[in-house]
Amino acid sequence: NFKSPNLDLFFRKQIDKRQYIEANLYSRYSSGKYDRDYYDLHDEMARNDTTMTHIANKSWRAGLEFMYSRSFDRFTTNFGLQDYYNGVENKQSENGLTKKERINQNRLSAYGQISGRIKTLRYSASLNLVYNHSDNDSYIVNAVRLKSNISMNLPLSKYVTVNYLLMYDPSMPSVSQQSSTVQRIDDISVRQGNPDLNPSEYLRNRIFIRYSYKKFTTSLWAAHGRNFNPIYYSYSYIADKSSPYYDKFMSKPINGSHDDLINLELNLSVQDLFGFATIWGKLGWDNHHLDLSTRSYCKKRLYA
């Protein structure tokens, strides 16, 4: 039993040949109900287990964005403001025991970006300041993060081009990952959010070299990405016999320390071979290393 109406309004005004403004207003509402009855029957009736679950969800989001763009002789700039409000209400009844939780989230961001060229060098850069507020009546989380992205493209000759990318992207946990409500997944597992999760921060560097001559094209890139406070899922066994979830497994999001990914990749292609065929291939190598609070993992992969 699900319904989700949406509304989206968009406005654009061309001020002159170099300037324009855009505005966007949108909203979305959704609600749904879900019932599930679980019966575990045994020859010995005393061991029978019955769980009757009723879940009712409501969520709504409203947002707006305003952007101003201006072009100059050698570069173009954009400035904008974006804000959205997201509310979620979850009501769960299990064998007559009712739990209810409400989470509100407001995210406000102000951004600016510039793109242009200096002789043969093309570039683009952006900054985005994000403020996030979340609360569920029992805890409040406020966070301010700065996102950034820089890209440069330089042709060294008519055959060779070099591209560099720098990206810094922090992200807040989702609303469901912050929810403290315990929800049954199946007959052996339940899940619960973690209000103490920290935002993840992703930093990526990549250099990309492309060579093209007639029908032959090749490219090589080297990239390194690091994720600070990455979010993983921890699984534990519930051994407390007084718990309504005794003898099940709990899934809960947690923060790791950091993880690193080094990637090298070579691409080769020959187009329009014999007038009808294209041959394409790639060779790559990954080195993925991650650190949790109690242990570390490393995976190396060669692919082609």
Side-chain angles (χ1 to χ4, degrees):
N1 184 9
F2 177 76
K3 54 181 178 289
S4 179
N6 294 262
L7 174 68
D8 197 320
L9 301 175
F10 178 76
F11 171 81
R12 177 186 170 105
K13 170 67 175 178
Q14 191 77 35
I15 302 172
D16 55 33
K17 292 183 179 181
R18 291 179 175 265
Q19 302 178 80
Y20 67 89
I21 58 173
E22 288 183 354
N24 187 214
L25 176 67
Y26 62 91
S27 64
R28 183 183 70 219
Y29 172 82
S30 64
S31 67
K33 295 180 180 180
Y34 176 68
D35 294 326
R36 180 178 58 196
D37 298 334
Y38 169 73
Y39 302 95
D40 189 7
L41 305 179
H42 298 262
D43 292 336
E44 302 174 36
M45 294 184 62
R47 297 176 57 195
N48 288 351
D49 180 29
T50 300
T51 302
M52 305 179 71
T53 304
H54 172 76
I55 298 174
N57 291 310
K58 294 180 181 179
S59 68
W60 53 92
R61 172 178 285 200
L64 60 89
E65 181 175 6
F66 178 84
M67 187 190 75
Y68 167 75
S69 178
R70 176 165 185 146
S71 299
F72 297 87
D73 291 338
R74 294 184 177 273
F75 63 91
T76 300
T77 59
N78 296 317
F79 301 96
L81 188 70
Q82 186 183 56
D83 185 36
Y84 73 79
Y85 176 86
N86 192 36
V88 177
E89 183 178 286
N90 178 282
K91 183 178 180 181
Q92 178 173 304
S93 299
E94 194 166 88
N95 287 350
L97 181 63
T98 299
K99 294 175 288 185
K100 186 176 181 180
E101 185 179 46
R102 182 178 63 87
I103 298 179
N104 294 322
Q105 183 182 47
N106 188 65
R107 183 169 296 187
L108 174 67
S109 60
Y111 61 86
Q113 54 193 71
I114 182 173
S115 60
R117 63 186 302 167
I118 302 174
K119 295 183 178 179
T120 59
L121 173 67
R122 290 187 174 272
Y123 66 89
S124 67
S126 65
L127 289 175
N128 188 4
L129 183 65
V130 181
Y131 165 74
N132 189 89
H133 170 86
S134 300
D135 75 84
N136 75 341
D137 297 330
S138 62
Y139 74 91
I140 296 176
V141 176
N142 291 304
V144 178
R145 293 293 184 270
L146 182 66
K147 297 186 177 188
S148 61
N149 193 314
I150 298 173
S151 176
M152 293 180 287
N153 196 73
L154 178 65
L156 300 180
S157 69
K158 67 177 183 177
Y159 304 118
V160 181
T161 303
V162 178
N163 178 273
Y164 171 72
L165 172 70
L166 171 65
M167 183 171 64
Y168 173 68
D169 185 13
S171 60
M172 287 294 297
S174 67
V175 170
S176 63
Q177 288 174 329
Q178 300 177 71
S179 171
S180 59
T181 299
V182 178
Q183 290 189 310
R184 186 185 294 263
I185 301 175
D186 50 40
D187 58 321
I188 63 168
S189 53
V190 294
R191 66 184 169 206
Q192 183 182 29
N194 181 3
D196 297 322
L197 280 178
N198 292 315
S200 296
E201 300 174 67
Y202 179 64
L203 181 65
R204 175 178 170 85
N205 281 277
R206 188 198 71 183
I207 187 165
F208 179 91
I209 302 174
R210 183 176 185 269
Y211 173 82
S212 181
Y213 179 73
K214 294 184 177 179
K215 298 180 179 181
F216 176 75
T217 300
T218 181
S219 63
L220 173 68
W221 80 48
H224 171 255
R226 166 165 283 199
N227 212 346
F228 301 90
N229 295 320
I231 295 177
Y232 301 110
Y233 284 85
S234 170
Y235 292 84
S236 59
Y237 175 70
I238 303 173
D240 182 6
K241 292 187 177 181
S242 63
S243 170
Y245 307 106
Y246 167 68
D247 203 29
K248 293 179 173 54
F249 292 92
M250 168 70 78
S251 169
K252 194 171 186 178
I254 60 171
N255 284 115
S257 173
H258 66 268
D259 65 41
D260 291 276
L261 176 62
I262 298 174
N263 174 242
L264 302 173
E265 185 170 297
L266 173 68
N267 288 274
L268 301 168
S269 69
V270 180
Q271 298 185 14
D272 201 27
L273 190 63
F274 309 119
F276 65 90
T278 294
I279 299 176
W280 174 86
K282 69 179 177 180
L283 175 67
W285 179 75
D286 281 342
N287 184 344
H288 192 190
H289 183 89
L290 62 94
D291 289 318
L292 299 176
S293 57
T294 57
R295 65 191 69 186
S296 297
Y297 298 91
C298 185
K299 184 177 80 169
K300 297 178 182 179
R301 179 175 71 114
L302 182 69
Y303 60 92

